[in-house]
Amino acid sequence: MSLLALIVKPLAYISLPVLVFRSIANMSPTGRYFWKVGVFLSSLVVVSTWGIVVAFGMTLVGRRHDVNYVVARTFYAVASRALDLHVEIEGEEHLQTRPAVMVSNHQSMLDILCLARMFPPKASIMAKRELQWTPLGPWMFIRGEEMKREGISLMMYPEGTRHNGEVPTLLPFKKGAFHLAVQAGLPVTPIICENYWRFYHKGVFDTGTIKIRVLPPIQTSGLTTAEVSDLVTRTRDQMLAVLREISAKVATHDEEESADLSESTPEPTSAEVVPGPNTIDEVFPSVSETPSEETPSETSEPSRSVWSLRQDGSISEYGTETDDEGMVHVRRPID
């Protein structure tokens, strides 16, 4: 009985706050956001800790360079089901070209889930030096000469920092990854993850499917250091075009302002004309205060029209409308 209590009590203490937190998450979008962030980070910690055991075992059997691949796939299997957030890849066959320098856009911590789904065998990742002290740190770093000798690809984020906004765009690229590719004679493989702002940003963590597209590798054989800038520009332009193509369409600020201006500007309408006994040809807003001494037959067409209006009584000699319904009727000029 005491053994059963030792097992049940800790489970009860752990499950109670989890159940309370989950109930709050079901009632509030903010609660759901923090719940899913907690699930994501917990999955990361659990899988990374388990990865230490995997890393030691695979190193002993001579498969040290596949540790990242196995741990990444494990994390995706756990986190994608827990979060109900999945990743689809187009052009995955291009990841088989190795060794290569893989470059991708960087949005947020959710990139880890995307990376876990697409990370190929025999690959490493360029990360901050501080990560060497994490559980998988010793297996995340590799020397350049070992990379080429063992046929190991390298994953890098040339933007240098995270950028998560509603409108899909890219920050300027740093040149380190491209200098490495040119100097080592390795191809550059662009990997574009769609803008998932609609799924994840501050206060929002929804379910859905994130799209990734892998482009054919860009060969760097024969390029010199002087051509690195052109390589950076070409790669970024390709990635930006694909990013905007596969991401959900979002109206930019300029487009929204243009749409608002169009809605607020009324379309010009033609003047309403009520058919009278005479055909309307022209309407003159005012006439001179002093009548002309010329006879109607000697005046010009506008003068004859106004003369007709005065005879009809439609307007006064000061040009004031006198029609009861506010309409002006003008006779055809006298021939």
Side-chain angles (χ1 to χ4, degrees):
M1 185 67 179
S2 60
L3 180 61
L4 183 62
L6 289 175
I7 297 175
V8 172
K9 276 187 175 181
L11 291 177
Y13 288 140
I14 294 173
S15 61
L16 181 59
V18 170
L19 292 175
V20 172
F21 199 4
R22 182 58 188 264
S23 300
I24 296 174
N26 291 332
M27 295 185 295
S28 165
T30 303
R32 182 165 58 251
Y33 168 77
F34 285 109
W35 164 259
K36 288 197 168 186
V37 169
V39 170
F40 180 85
L41 295 177
S42 299
S43 302
L44 189 60
V45 171
V46 170
V47 173
S48 296
T49 304
W50 173 81
I52 298 175
V53 179
V54 175
F56 276 115
M58 295 187 70
T59 301
L60 291 176
V61 299
R63 296 190 60 188
R64 172 179 178 269
H65 297 306
D66 286 333
V67 171
N68 290 335
Y69 169 75
V70 174
V71 174
R73 288 295 190 272
T74 304
F75 174 72
Y76 178 76
V78 173
S80 63
R81 288 172 174 80
L83 301 171
D84 193 18
L85 188 61
H86 305 278
V87 178
E88 289 182 353
I89 302 181
E90 178 185 346
E92 193 168 6
E93 66 275 8
H94 298 308
L95 295 174
Q96 303 306 316
T97 300
R98 62 176 185 261
V101 176
M102 302 177 292
V103 293
S104 182
N105 53 319
H106 195 15
Q107 299 180 63
S108 71
M109 71 173 186
L110 207 59
D111 288 343
I112 299 173
L113 183 68
C114 301
L115 185 65
R117 170 61 183 86
M118 52 72 55
F119 205 75
K122 298 194 74 173
S124 187
I125 183 171
M126 180 70 73
K128 294 181 179 180
R129 181 173 297 275
E130 291 80 3
L131 292 180
Q132 66 179 319
W133 308 114
T134 62
L136 290 180
W139 289 270
M140 292 179 66
F141 293 87
I142 189 171
R143 293 180 177 88
E145 60 271 16
E146 183 182 3
M147 173 185 166
K148 194 168 184 179
R149 184 181 67 250
E150 300 291 339
I152 298 170
S153 297
L154 181 65
M155 181 73 184
M156 300 183 72
Y157 293 98
E159 290 176 285
T161 188
R162 293 172 292 182
H163 175 70
N164 186 20
E166 185 176 6
V167 179
T169 187
L170 295 174
L171 296 175
F173 280 5
K174 298 181 182 300
K175 298 180 181 179
F178 303 92
H179 275 291
L180 174 63
V182 169
Q183 292 173 11
L186 301 178
V188 175
T189 304
I191 302 172
I192 302 93
C193 178
E194 74 161 307
N195 183 32
Y196 51 69
W197 189 89
R198 67 187 190 281
F199 294 128
Y200 175 79
H201 58 273
K202 187 175 182 180
V204 174
F205 205 145
D206 287 334
T207 60
T209 301
I210 299 173
K211 292 179 289 186
I212 290 179
R213 182 179 297 178
V214 184
L215 301 184
I218 302 172
Q219 299 300 324
T220 62
S221 299
L223 296 183
T224 63
T225 304
E227 297 172 289
V228 168
S229 295
D230 179 64
L231 176 63
V232 172
T233 302
R234 286 191 290 117
T235 305
R236 185 180 182 277
D237 288 345
Q238 287 185 27
M239 293 178 65
L240 183 57
V242 173
L243 175 64
R244 290 172 175 169
E245 178 184 342
I246 66 176
S247 300
K249 299 298 182 288
V250 178
T252 61
H253 181 67
D254 292 340
E255 290 173 346
E256 290 177 354
E257 285 186 349
S258 178
D260 292 341
L261 184 61
S262 299
E263 292 177 0
S264 62
T265 304
E267 295 183 0
T269 56
S270 57
E272 296 183 3
V273 178
V274 178
N278 305 298
T279 305
I280 300 175
D281 290 331
E282 294 179 316
V283 177
F284 296 88
S286 62
V287 295
S288 60
E289 295 184 3
T290 307
S292 173
E293 295 180 0
E294 298 177 355
T295 61
S297 59
E298 297 173 350
T299 58
S300 62
E301 288 189 1
S303 300
R304 289 200 295 269
S305 298
V306 174
W307 187 280
S308 300
L309 284 172
R310 290 181 180 175
Q311 288 182 335
D312 259 358
S314 298
I315 62 172
S316 69
E317 63 178 353
Y318 298 102
T320 307
E321 297 180 7
T322 59
D323 187 79
D324 292 338
E325 297 181 1
M327 307 305 298
V328 177
H329 302 280
V330 183
R331 295 178 184 273
R332 181 182 296 277
I334 300 172
D335 295 328

